[in-house]
Amino acid sequence: MDKYMKHVRYAGILLMAFMGFSSCGDDFLEVIPKDQVAASTIFSNETSADLALYDVYKELPDMEGWGNEESYYSYDSFEHWSDNAVCKFDWAVTYRDLQTRSMTADQYNPGWYNHGYPALPFVYDKVFKFVRKANFFIENVALYKSNFSEEWIKTRVAEARFLRAFYYHEMWMAYGGLPIITRTLNLSEQGDNIFYPRSTFEQTGKFIIQELKEIANDLPDEISKGRAALTLKAWCELFMNNYSDAAATCQQIIGGVHSLFTATGATSYNDQFMEENNNNCESIFAYQHDKKTKTGLRTKYFGPAGEFGAWGAMCPSQSLVDDYLMKDGLPKEDSPLWNPKKPYDNREPRFYQSVIYNGAEFAGKVYDQVNQKDLYDPSREYRSGYFRCKGINPDLTTADFEVNADGANFAYFRYAEVLLMYAEAKIEQNQIDDQVLKAINDVRVRSGIPTLQDTYDKTSFEQNELRDILRRERRIEFAFECKRYWDLIRWRTAEIVLNEPYYGMTVNAAGEYEPVFLKASAFHKDRSYLFPIYTPWIQINHRMLEQNDGVEFFDGQNPGY
């Protein structure tokens, strides 16, 4: 995907002049807008048809950038739905609404779906438009196949099916079962046949997984030689608790072309996210940014405030800070190195490469809460007492922010996740062996953390013990990468974790640290594991509205809404 996206993103302006794929209102069920250039022209040769495929690619969620007219993303990051961080701004949807989670399926404005605040990569009516674009491409490649080479057809159709599966998996995690639509729809031609009922959660997951299985070997080298499809497949299998399948899929990737990024030594963990290391050996599937043509906004939105001049919108929580290990590899509550009067001493390297805390230096400036200088700015101050430095470019300036000159990619999947998915899948089957420990150790050792054997002075681990270690590793390793919320959902621990209030840390004039309450949090066991589908989206589809199985569907809606 990386090389292909680099090539096709420059065609964007031409594409929008050539094609009219965008539409609005309730027409996400329909086929193609009436003002579109004839398909016979679009699919007359491989070059113009590539532009149609670009139109499917460009809808990928830009989780740290502007996005586009259909999928706009903002400073109110999806990470703020988890317990890892809070949004600095108290008007943000995640800061305000997640204290009660009282939103109903009838709410739109104000609500969760009416604009890009918060950043949601799965909004039903928008993402089904992206599915429609993929279907349109696949159908017309088949219709005009005489215009293309067999190799082009094989790889491009595989790419479109991969993208369709990716879009489906985003909605599936959020809403559960979905209408499975693999053809373009046109009300005037097909009438009532354009309406599909929701398939179950299991049926939808199996559809996504089967699609990825079928096309993995047909994807071009630019999409990680099929490993993007296999990684997404393993993730979906893990999300369905199909641990045996997930482990087997991960084994197809481990030991292949990907590896952990170690090129810059001790700081490799954070350096992998910098622009100069885009598409490195660890990157499996990433949104491609370019500081001139497709900029990101990570440093501008989430870098520290004060004299650095960024927004500081993502404030790490005390809960996340507490979960970082000590440098001996142990949790702070188990380590002799822990000193509550000096809570930031002797922590593991990933902590120092991820979080700015009182006394930390970033971009030549110290975050000094006591003397209120450098990165401290009372007029634009933090909420939690922490800023993010993971993936934040210290060389960017406020002048760069004005023109959004940030070219660092956003990683959907990287090789560290394959290793930890494999380990988790084996742990859940209680099949703990040296390969499981090696997978976890590889991730730890890359960041300068002792192996599990050295940390705990033993060579065997019980299932519950290693499960806790693995889940902590995932939280730390993937902090700020929009993974944590989905982990809490699939582990079914959100009803515990997300009912805990958020805290930060402050320091008084004497240098003493004191926890500070930030906000309440609510999560309703009976309904919050799924998002609501906005009621009017259901009402236009009578086959959904008629669904009442008393388990997954209530008038086509998710339970509790």
Side-chain angles (χ1 to χ4, degrees):
M1 184 275 239
D2 296 345
K3 293 180 182 176
Y4 182 69
M5 280 298 289
K6 286 179 181 178
H7 172 72
V8 299
R9 69 162 165 251
Y10 298 107
I13 296 176
L14 175 61
L15 171 74
M16 298 316 294
F18 183 57
M19 304 173 70
F21 274 157
S22 63
S23 57
C24 38
D26 294 333
D27 58 355
F28 58 90
L29 290 175
E30 295 237 29
V31 51
I32 51 178
K34 298 178 177 60
D35 61 347
Q36 182 171 296
V37 174
S40 59
T41 301
I42 299 167
F43 293 93
S44 61
N45 58 74
E46 292 177 2
T47 300
S48 61
D50 273 345
L51 294 177
L53 183 58
Y54 169 80
D55 198 45
V56 188
Y57 267 108
K58 76 179 181 65
E59 306 297 0
L60 285 167
D62 185 1
M63 301 300 288
E64 294 178 332
W66 283 114
N68 55 59
E69 69 277 3
E70 291 289 0
S71 50
Y72 180 76
Y73 299 96
S74 75
Y75 56 81
D76 196 2
S77 169
F78 189 69
E79 186 76 354
H80 299 152
W81 288 81
S82 79
D83 58 333
N84 279 353
V86 298
C87 187
K88 166 183 175 178
F89 306 110
D90 59 8
W91 64 79
V93 171
T94 59
Y95 192 92
R96 183 187 67 240
D97 288 10
L98 299 190
Q99 297 193 49
T100 61
R101 288 185 195 255
S102 59
M103 178 180 165
T104 71
D106 297 328
Q107 287 179 252
Y108 190 77
N109 188 11
W112 295 346
Y113 297 145
N114 63 311
H115 48 45
Y117 311 88
L120 297 178
F122 49 74
V123 177
Y124 186 90
D125 67 330
K126 295 182 184 298
V127 181
F128 261 113
K129 292 178 185 179
F130 311 159
V131 169
R132 183 192 62 198
K133 290 182 179 185
N135 290 339
F136 176 78
F137 180 86
I138 294 167
E139 282 189 353
N140 281 281
V141 167
L143 184 62
Y144 297 100
K145 63 183 179 180
S146 61
N147 295 333
F148 314 118
S149 69
E150 290 185 5
E151 183 64 22
W152 186 95
I153 292 173
K154 181 179 74 171
T155 57
R156 293 301 188 254
V157 169
E159 289 177 77
R161 290 175 70 184
F162 169 76
L163 291 168
R164 183 174 64 188
F166 186 91
Y167 294 135
Y168 256 107
H169 111 277
E170 294 276 15
M171 293 190 290
W172 170 67
M173 292 189 297
Y175 300 120
L178 299 160
I180 298 176
I181 303 171
T182 57
R183 61 172 183 156
T184 50
L185 305 176
N186 188 321
L187 180 62
S188 62
E189 295 178 3
Q190 299 162 3
D192 196 58
N193 289 329
I194 73 166
F195 298 111
Y196 285 64
R198 295 177 69 178
S199 296
T200 66
F201 172 84
E202 183 175 2
Q203 290 168 338
T204 306
K206 286 182 176 179
F207 163 73
I208 297 167
I209 289 167
Q210 184 63 30
E211 285 286 290
L212 295 167
K213 178 181 179 180
E214 290 180 6
I215 55 92
N217 291 331
D218 293 337
L219 290 168
D221 289 352
E222 287 82 357
I223 313 186
S224 296
K225 299 182 179 178
R227 285 161 181 80
L230 291 175
T231 305
L232 178 57
K233 177 175 178 283
W235 167 250
C236 292
E237 289 163 343
L238 204 64
F239 203 85
M240 293 184 73
N241 299 331
N242 291 342
Y243 300 120
S244 179
D245 290 345
T249 302
C250 288
Q251 284 182 308
Q252 294 180 257
I253 307 167
I254 294 173
V257 298
H258 293 287
S259 59
L260 295 173
F261 180 78
T262 59
T264 57
T267 58
S268 292
Y269 171 71
N270 189 36
D271 291 343
Q272 68 175 305
F273 303 108
M274 298 303 172
E275 180 180 0
E276 60 268 24
N277 295 314
N278 281 351
N279 306 316
N280 61 67
C281 60
E282 188 164 343
S283 176
I284 292 178
F285 188 49
Y287 191 97
Q288 301 293 297
H289 283 130
D290 181 277
K291 63 184 177 184
K292 293 182 180 179
T293 61
K294 187 64 175 174
T295 61
L297 294 168
R298 179 195 301 159
T299 296
K300 177 180 179 178
Y301 279 169
F302 307 130
E307 292 186 15
F308 185 69
W311 291 20
M314 183 181 290
C315 301
S317 68
Q318 187 60 44
S319 170
L320 173 63
V321 169
D322 286 344
D323 256 4
Y324 279 96
L325 304 170
M326 304 301 291
K327 69 179 183 181
D328 59 7
L330 290 168
K332 68 181 183 63
E333 55 268 23
D334 298 329
S335 174
L337 300 176
W338 169 245
N339 181 353
K341 294 183 179 180
K342 297 181 178 180
Y344 311 124
D345 288 359
N346 297 312
R347 304 305 287 269
E348 60 151 295
R350 287 177 298 189
F351 171 71
Y352 300 114
Q353 295 178 50
S354 301
V355 178
I356 298 173
Y357 54 91
N358 180 58
E361 182 178 325
F362 180 82
K365 303 292 183 182
V366 175
Y367 185 28
D368 188 342
Q369 296 182 41
V370 176
N371 298 301
Q372 300 188 5
K373 65 178 185 179
D374 284 7
L375 297 180
Y376 185 94
D377 183 351
S379 66
R380 303 178 61 200
E381 196 40 26
Y382 64 96
R383 288 196 174 274
S384 70
Y386 303 107
F387 289 123
R388 168 182 170 179
C389 63
K390 177 180 173 180
I392 305 301
N393 188 342
D395 297 325
L396 294 185
T397 66
T398 53
D400 294 318
F401 300 155
E402 290 297 320
V403 295
N404 301 323
D406 190 343
N409 289 349
F410 174 82
Y412 299 123
F413 292 111
R414 52 190 180 89
Y415 186 63
E417 185 156 17
V418 175
L419 294 175
L420 294 185
M421 285 196 297
Y422 170 76
E424 180 178 351
K426 298 293 281 186
I427 291 168
E428 292 303 326
Q429 298 174 82
N430 202 20
Q431 297 175 358
I432 300 169
D433 56 21
D434 289 345
Q435 291 305 305
V436 172
L437 299 181
K438 181 181 186 303
I440 300 173
N441 285 337
D442 284 352
V443 174
R444 289 166 65 102
V445 171
R446 184 266 297 275
S447 293
I449 303 161
T451 66
L452 295 174
Q453 294 91 328
D454 288 342
T455 296
Y456 293 95
D457 193 26
K458 61 182 182 180
T459 58
S460 63
F461 295 82
E462 297 297 321
Q463 183 185 35
N464 288 340
E465 176 187 23
L466 201 55
R467 178 187 289 125
D468 290 343
I469 290 172
L470 182 284
R471 291 183 176 184
R472 194 169 196 149
E473 278 295 322
R474 277 195 64 93
R475 184 182 193 185
I476 295 167
E477 177 70 21
F478 304 120
F480 315 137
E481 297 181 50
C482 300
K483 302 284 186 182
R484 174 68 171 175
Y485 179 81
W486 297 124
D487 282 346
L488 297 176
I489 294 299
R490 64 188 181 85
W491 293 333
R492 286 298 189 263
T493 57
E495 64 202 62
I496 300 171
V497 174
L498 297 182
N499 273 309
E500 293 292 328
Y502 289 77
Y503 284 88
M505 185 69 73
T506 188
V507 56
N508 61 29
E512 298 168 333
Y513 290 96
E514 301 172 351
V516 57
F517 173 83
L518 299 178
K519 71 182 185 77
S521 179
F523 190 93
H524 308 290
K525 181 180 179 180
D526 62 338
R527 69 174 192 167
S528 296
Y529 279 101
L530 294 173
F531 283 77
I533 299 176
Y534 181 47
T535 299
W537 298 336
I538 296 175
Q539 290 173 333
I540 65 171
N541 183 345
H542 70 88
R543 296 195 67 189
M544 287 176 62
L545 195 60
E546 293 164 357
Q547 289 183 274
N548 283 285
D549 65 2
V551 180
E552 291 194 41
F553 311 127
F554 297 80
D555 295 333
Q557 184 58 266
N558 286 325
Y561 294 103

